[in-house]
Amino acid sequence: MITKHQKAKWRTLVGTAVLSFCDIEFITQECLKHLPTDNICKSVSTLPFGRRVDLIIEILQGWANTPKAATTLIEKLKLAKKLFSKYRNVLAHNPLCVDIYVQHETGDIVLDHSISSLREKEKSINFASLKKLADEVEDLASELYKTLEKVIKEVK
Protein backbone atom coordinates (compact mmCIF):
# COMPACT_ATOMS: atom_id res chain seq x y z
CA MET A 1 0.00 0.00 0.00
CA ILE A 2 2.82 2.42 0.83
CA THR A 3 6.24 2.17 -0.78
CA LYS A 4 9.52 2.17 1.13
CA HIS A 5 10.33 5.53 -0.46
CA GLN A 6 7.02 7.06 0.69
CA LYS A 7 7.47 5.60 4.17
CA ALA A 8 11.00 7.07 4.35
CA LYS A 9 9.59 10.52 3.56
CA TRP A 10 7.02 10.17 6.35
CA ARG A 11 9.70 8.94 8.78
CA THR A 12 11.97 11.89 8.01
CA LEU A 13 9.21 14.42 8.64
CA VAL A 14 7.91 12.68 11.77
CA GLY A 15 11.48 12.48 13.05
CA THR A 16 12.06 16.17 12.38
CA ALA A 17 8.84 17.15 14.13
CA VAL A 18 9.34 14.86 17.14
CA LEU A 19 12.98 15.86 17.64
CA SER A 20 12.00 19.52 17.40
CA PHE A 21 9.28 18.94 20.00
CA CYS A 22 12.03 17.38 22.17
CA ASP A 23 14.12 20.52 21.71
CA ILE A 24 11.17 22.61 22.87
CA GLU A 25 10.73 20.37 25.93
CA PHE A 26 14.41 20.92 26.73
CA ILE A 27 14.04 24.69 26.29
CA THR A 28 11.26 24.77 28.89
CA GLN A 29 13.58 22.98 31.31
CA GLU A 30 16.28 25.57 30.58
CA CYS A 31 13.77 28.37 31.15
CA LEU A 32 12.98 26.94 34.56
CA LYS A 33 16.67 26.63 35.34
CA HIS A 34 17.61 30.21 34.37
CA LEU A 35 14.57 32.48 34.70
CA PRO A 36 13.15 32.08 38.23
CA THR A 37 14.93 33.90 41.05
CA ASP A 38 14.40 30.86 43.29
CA ASN A 39 15.80 27.40 42.65
CA ILE A 40 12.62 25.60 41.57
CA CYS A 41 13.87 23.64 38.56
CA LYS A 42 14.05 20.25 40.30
CA SER A 43 10.59 20.62 41.84
CA VAL A 44 8.81 21.65 38.66
CA SER A 45 10.74 19.64 36.06
CA THR A 46 8.23 16.80 36.33
CA LEU A 47 5.25 19.01 35.51
CA PRO A 48 3.53 18.20 32.23
CA PHE A 49 4.62 20.37 29.31
CA GLY A 50 1.55 22.64 29.33
CA ARG A 51 1.87 23.33 33.06
CA ARG A 52 5.58 24.14 32.66
CA VAL A 53 4.78 26.59 29.89
CA ASP A 54 2.07 28.22 32.02
CA LEU A 55 4.52 28.57 34.92
CA ILE A 56 7.24 30.08 32.72
CA ILE A 57 4.74 32.57 31.29
CA GLU A 58 3.61 33.49 34.81
CA ILE A 59 7.22 34.08 35.85
CA LEU A 60 7.93 36.23 32.81
CA GLN A 61 4.73 38.25 33.21
CA GLY A 62 5.56 38.81 36.89
CA TRP A 63 8.69 40.75 36.09
CA ALA A 64 8.32 44.49 36.78
CA ASN A 65 9.82 45.63 33.47
CA THR A 66 9.26 42.76 31.10
CA PRO A 67 12.06 42.86 28.50
CA LYS A 68 11.00 42.80 24.82
CA ALA A 69 12.66 39.41 24.38
CA ALA A 70 10.57 38.04 27.27
CA THR A 71 7.38 39.16 25.53
CA THR A 72 8.56 37.39 22.38
CA LEU A 73 9.39 34.27 24.42
CA ILE A 74 5.87 34.29 25.88
CA GLU A 75 4.33 34.44 22.38
CA LYS A 76 6.51 31.61 21.11
CA LEU A 77 5.82 29.44 24.18
CA LYS A 78 2.08 29.92 23.68
CA LEU A 79 2.45 28.75 20.08
CA ALA A 80 4.54 25.76 21.22
CA LYS A 81 1.86 24.80 23.74
CA LYS A 82 -0.81 24.97 21.05
CA LEU A 83 1.22 22.82 18.64
CA PHE A 84 2.05 20.31 21.39
CA SER A 85 -1.57 19.84 22.37
CA LYS A 86 -2.67 19.40 18.77
CA TYR A 87 0.09 17.29 17.25
CA ARG A 88 2.84 15.96 19.52
CA ASN A 89 1.04 12.95 20.97
CA VAL A 90 -0.60 12.12 17.65
CA LEU A 91 2.84 11.84 16.04
CA ALA A 92 4.49 10.10 18.97
CA HIS A 93 1.85 7.46 19.70
CA ASN A 94 0.07 6.56 16.47
CA PRO A 95 0.95 4.66 13.30
CA LEU A 96 0.87 5.74 9.69
CA CYS A 97 -2.47 4.51 8.34
CA VAL A 98 -4.16 4.36 5.00
CA ASP A 99 -7.78 5.16 4.30
CA ILE A 100 -9.20 3.51 1.20
CA TYR A 101 -11.93 5.24 -0.72
CA VAL A 102 -13.81 3.72 -3.65
CA GLN A 103 -15.57 6.02 -6.04
CA HIS A 104 -18.95 4.35 -6.59
CA GLU A 105 -19.51 5.68 -10.11
CA THR A 106 -16.12 4.81 -11.60
CA GLY A 107 -14.82 2.17 -9.21
CA ASP A 108 -11.57 4.12 -8.86
CA ILE A 109 -9.69 3.53 -5.64
CA VAL A 110 -8.07 6.40 -3.77
CA LEU A 111 -5.55 5.83 -0.99
CA ASP A 112 -5.15 8.56 1.61
CA HIS A 113 -2.24 8.19 4.05
CA SER A 114 -2.30 9.93 7.41
CA ILE A 115 -1.28 9.63 11.02
CA SER A 116 -4.48 9.67 13.03
CA SER A 117 -5.15 9.42 16.72
CA LEU A 118 -6.59 6.04 17.54
CA ARG A 119 -8.57 7.64 20.39
CA GLU A 120 -9.61 10.93 18.80
CA LYS A 121 -10.26 10.45 15.09
CA GLU A 122 -10.50 14.19 14.50
CA LYS A 123 -6.80 14.49 15.38
CA SER A 124 -5.14 13.54 12.13
CA ILE A 125 -2.30 14.82 9.98
CA ASN A 126 -1.72 14.16 6.29
CA PHE A 127 1.61 14.40 4.46
CA ALA A 128 1.27 18.02 3.32
CA SER A 129 0.28 19.14 6.81
CA LEU A 130 3.12 17.12 8.35
CA LYS A 131 5.65 18.77 6.04
CA LYS A 132 4.40 22.20 7.07
CA LEU A 133 4.32 21.21 10.76
CA ALA A 134 7.86 19.77 10.72
CA ASP A 135 9.19 23.01 9.25
CA GLU A 136 7.17 25.11 11.69
CA VAL A 137 8.21 23.20 14.81
CA GLU A 138 11.86 23.07 13.73
CA ASP A 139 11.86 26.84 13.14
CA LEU A 140 10.02 27.44 16.43
CA ALA A 141 12.59 25.43 18.40
CA SER A 142 15.39 27.46 16.83
CA GLU A 143 13.61 30.74 17.57
CA LEU A 144 12.96 29.67 21.17
CA TYR A 145 16.66 28.88 21.72
CA LYS A 146 17.66 32.30 20.36
CA THR A 147 14.96 34.16 22.27
CA LEU A 148 15.77 32.46 25.57
CA GLU A 149 19.41 33.42 25.12
CA LYS A 150 18.34 37.07 24.65
CA VAL A 151 16.10 36.96 27.71
CA ILE A 152 18.89 35.56 29.87
CA LYS A 153 21.28 38.28 28.65
CA GLU A 154 18.70 41.03 29.28
CA VAL A 155 18.00 40.01 32.87
CA LYS A 156 21.51 39.10 34.04
Side-chain angles (χ1 to χ4, degrees):
M1 293 255 182
I2 186 167
T3 67
K4 279 187 173 184
H5 180 70
Q6 290 171 317
K7 196 177 264 190
K9 287 182 177 182
W10 277 89
R11 285 181 175 145
T12 298
L13 292 176
V14 169
T16 298
V18 169
L19 288 174
S20 296
F21 280 130
C22 291
D23 284 338
I24 294 169
E25 288 259 11
F26 176 75
I27 292 164
T28 64
Q29 298 291 348
E30 289 298 297
C31 286
L32 292 169
K33 190 184 308 177
H34 295 285
L35 301 180
T37 55
D38 298 319
N39 186 9
I40 63 168
C41 187
K42 189 174 180 181
S43 300
V44 298
S45 65
T46 58
L47 288 175
F49 178 78
R51 300 272 316 272
R52 281 197 313 272
V53 168
D54 292 342
L55 178 59
I56 295 164
I57 290 171
E58 248 183 86
I59 291 167
L60 293 170
Q61 290 174 335
W63 291 353
N65 296 313
T66 306
K68 184 180 185 310
T71 303
T72 303
L73 185 59
I74 289 169
E75 292 168 12
K76 293 185 183 311
L77 286 169
K78 286 179 179 178
L79 175 58
K81 184 178 174 184
K82 178 181 166 191
L83 292 173
F84 256 74
S85 70
K86 188 169 183 184
Y87 296 110
R88 190 243 175 226
N89 284 343
V90 172
L91 293 177
H93 300 290
N94 295 284
L96 175 61
C97 298
V98 63
D99 289 321
I100 303 169
Y101 301 97
V102 178
Q103 168 133 110
H104 292 288
E105 295 154 5
T106 65
D108 290 344
I109 297 173
V110 177
L111 304 177
D112 183 29
H113 296 93
S114 65
I115 297 174
S116 300
S117 171
L118 298 174
R119 294 182 191 160
E120 301 172 68
K121 291 295 182 191
E122 70 279 357
K123 287 190 174 185
S124 180
I125 187 163
N126 63 24
F127 188 80
S129 297
L130 177 59
K131 186 168 177 22
K132 182 180 172 196
L133 175 69
D135 289 341
E136 183 178 13
V137 177
E138 188 173 41
D139 290 345
L140 179 59
S142 177
E143 292 167 11
L144 279 165
Y145 274 120
K146 292 174 190 171
T147 307
L148 176 59
E149 182 180 2
K150 288 179 186 174
V151 170
I152 291 170
K153 285 179 181 176
E154 285 182 10
V155 298
K156 299 285 176 181

